[in-house]
């Protein structure tokens, strides 16, 4: 891998981490949702991303996006970012 590509990947990773940190500060987890809610959606995302659905012609589809979207809708976007960052195990 070329040095320029490594630098670009590092820059995108750092920018994503900074954006997630800003989102967590700007949109805190609602008390009604709590840490248990965040952990539940992380586990749901891990379970759904670890078991992709195989379609008839050999294509695999991951359904982990549904758990991430549910966390965003039920809580705040920052929770969805945390769930996506911790719960995604795409191979």
């Amino acid at each position: 891998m070329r040095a320029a590509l490594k630098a670009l990947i590092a820059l995108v990773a750092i920018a994503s981490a900074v954006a997630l940190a800003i989102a967590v500060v700007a949109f805190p987890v609602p008390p009604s949702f709590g840490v248990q809610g965040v952990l539940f959606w992380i586990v749901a995302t891990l379970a759904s991303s670890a078991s992709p659905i195989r379609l008839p012609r050999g294509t695999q589809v991951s359904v982990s996006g549904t758990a991430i979207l549910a966390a965003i809708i039920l809580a705040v976007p920052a929770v969805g970012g945390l769930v996506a960052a911790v719960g995604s195990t795409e191979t």
Side-chain angles (χ1 to χ4, degrees):
M1 188 180 318
R2 290 163 113 213
L5 181 59
K6 286 182 182 180
L8 179 63
I9 291 171
L11 179 68
V12 170
I14 291 169
S16 299
V18 169
L20 181 59
I22 291 170
V24 168
V25 171
F27 305 105
V29 178
S32 61
F33 199 71
V35 176
Q36 295 87 2
V38 175
L39 291 176
F40 170 79
W41 288 111
I42 287 173
V43 170
T45 304
L46 280 170
S48 61
S49 67
S51 55
I53 296 173
R54 187 175 305 271
L55 296 177
R57 293 189 181 188
T59 305
Q60 289 187 352
V61 178
S62 175
V63 292
S64 63
T66 55
I68 296 168
L69 187 60
I72 291 170
I73 292 170
L74 294 174
V76 291
V79 172
L82 288 171
V83 169
V86 177
S88 296
T89 58
E90 302 297 326
T91 56

